[in-house]
Amino acid sequence: MEQETGLSKPVAVIACATMAFLYVAILYAPTLILRLPAPSSLKEFMIRRFICATISSFMSLVFCALLLPLRRREATYLFRVYGIRLDHLWQAVVFPLSLTCLMYAGSLVFKSLLLVDSWKEHMHQGEGISLNCIKDILQNFLAGLSSTASNVLAWRNYVVAPLTEELVFRACMIPLLLCGGFEIYVVILLCPILFSVAHLNHWMEIYCRQNYSLLKAFMVVGLQLGYTVIFGSYASFLFIRTGHLVAPLVAHIFCNFMGLPMLFVRRTGMMSLAFIAGTVAFICLLCPVTQPHLYNDGTNDCECWHGYCSSNLNS
């Protein structure tokens, strides 16, 4: 395989590790390299990081395009290699999003119960359902949307971080590792490790800025790293199976929105039951819902993603 693809395993791993390091290191470039003054506000700090993450993602895309043994260098072909496509878009949004929701069945049931309790309390106060009530709900909803759209942390969690991370850790790394001759299961495990290591900088930020003890910082970051490995494996699986960057992207945004799945709440057995049922359904539907033919017009009878893992890249 290495001779066919023209890309060795060590080169592929080193390239991926370099991109992971670059993605984190460039975040600190304004202060450590450019010697810019410290940002005066959270918004300025986050905008700097947005710019750095965008530059890092662009550099990774260019670096990956130069390194991959592609048979063509046209932009449209490169976009398909990176999974940036418009065809089968609704499948890439609906199916992975629905699949991901199953893992949050307990959380969704819990939020639904809270909503029902709030509605019952509203009805108990004798206000009932009126035009003014509906109007207030819509106004609160729109106000929430407006507040989220102007929140710099929301832009980080739901736009910049998911998009740049999926471009680097899925769109760039997976083609390199597949072309390096790694088996699919190895790629699914290796990418999340690099993905989680790239989050180690959070340990220093938590330890220094939030004044956590060393042990507590390790526990918080350890939990986060474990979660990123699990999610990274799932996102890599989605990308390999679908060949569509949108698939792991919508899953990433949804997971950032929901946070960690809720497993248990005291006196709420229904939520635990929903979590178990959702997990069983997720496992049963994981492969059927991500069959490559659902997201592609032709798969060349390849189990993984357009056949780009074979010598098709340079044939």
Side-chain angles (χ1 to χ4, degrees):
M1 176 65 73
E2 292 179 4
Q3 292 178 349
E4 290 179 356
T5 60
L7 188 65
S8 66
K9 289 182 178 180
V11 171
V13 172
I14 292 173
C16 292
T18 301
M19 288 188 291
F21 173 78
L22 177 65
Y23 184 83
V24 177
I26 200 171
L27 297 177
Y28 301 92
T31 303
L32 299 180
I33 298 178
L34 300 179
R35 301 294 182 180
L36 296 178
S40 58
S41 64
L42 174 64
K43 184 176 181 179
E44 182 182 349
F45 172 76
M46 294 308 304
I47 289 176
R48 282 189 186 181
R49 291 214 154 181
F50 293 168
I51 296 173
C52 291
T54 302
I55 294 173
S56 174
S57 301
F58 178 76
M59 291 173 63
S60 294
L61 290 171
V62 174
F63 176 63
C64 183
L66 295 175
L67 198 58
L68 282 171
L70 300 173
R71 58 186 176 185
R72 298 197 305 271
R73 301 286 175 176
E74 293 87 349
T76 54
Y77 186 76
L78 278 173
F79 285 158
R80 291 190 66 84
V81 170
Y82 294 140
I84 303 173
R85 304 157 39 195
L86 293 178
D87 61 286
H88 299 82
L89 187 59
W90 75 266
Q91 293 96 326
V93 172
V94 174
F95 294 159
L97 185 58
S98 301
L99 190 64
T100 308
C101 284
L102 293 175
M103 286 301 297
Y104 286 90
S107 301
L108 293 173
V109 167
F110 180 70
K111 292 180 183 295
S112 299
L113 291 176
L114 291 179
L115 184 62
V116 170
D117 290 341
S118 176
W119 185 264
K120 287 181 178 179
E121 182 179 354
H122 186 80
M123 296 291 291
H124 183 70
Q125 293 175 354
E127 298 181 11
I129 302 176
S130 64
L131 184 61
N132 289 333
C133 176
I134 297 175
K135 184 178 179 180
D136 290 341
I137 293 174
L138 290 176
Q139 287 179 344
N140 291 333
F141 176 74
L142 293 176
L145 285 181
S146 177
S147 176
T148 301
S150 59
N151 188 337
V152 69
L153 294 179
W155 277 91
R156 179 196 64 181
N157 295 333
Y158 309 137
V159 180
V160 179
L163 182 58
T164 56
E165 289 177 358
E166 293 306 317
L167 282 172
V168 174
F169 294 95
R170 248 65 69 180
C172 291
M173 291 189 183
I174 288 179
L176 285 173
L177 294 174
L178 290 175
C179 287
F182 286 97
E183 297 291 338
I184 296 174
Y185 72 91
V186 176
V187 176
I188 291 176
L189 293 175
L190 186 56
C191 272
I193 293 175
L194 295 170
F195 181 58
S196 62
V197 169
H199 289 75
L200 280 175
N201 63 308
H202 293 172
W203 175 82
M204 185 60 68
E205 294 180 356
I206 290 175
Y207 178 65
C208 296
R209 297 180 182 177
Q210 298 186 21
N211 295 321
Y212 279 19
S213 66
L214 189 63
L215 178 60
K216 188 174 182 180
F218 270 119
M219 291 178 63
V220 171
V221 174
L223 178 63
Q224 184 184 49
L225 292 183
Y227 179 70
T228 54
V229 168
I230 295 173
F231 170 77
S233 299
Y234 174 56
S236 298
F237 179 85
L238 286 177
F239 186 75
I240 290 174
R241 291 278 286 180
T242 67
H244 222 303
L245 186 63
V246 170
L249 180 60
V250 295
H252 196 152
I253 295 172
F254 182 78
C255 288
N256 280 2
F257 177 76
M258 294 295 295
L260 290 174
M262 298 182 66
L263 308 181
F264 174 78
V265 174
R266 188 177 300 175
R267 299 189 302 273
T268 311
M270 185 183 299
M271 198 208 72
S272 299
L273 182 62
F275 172 77
I276 295 173
T279 302
V280 172
F282 175 85
I283 295 173
C284 294
L285 295 174
L286 180 60
C287 289
V289 171
T290 58
Q291 293 184 39
H293 70 81
L294 295 175
Y295 305 87
N296 305 278
D297 293 326
T299 60
N300 298 323
D301 296 324
C302 180
E303 296 180 356
C304 69
W305 180 55
H306 290 318
Y308 289 141
C309 61
S310 68
S311 57
N312 291 348
L313 275 172
N314 60 352
S315 62

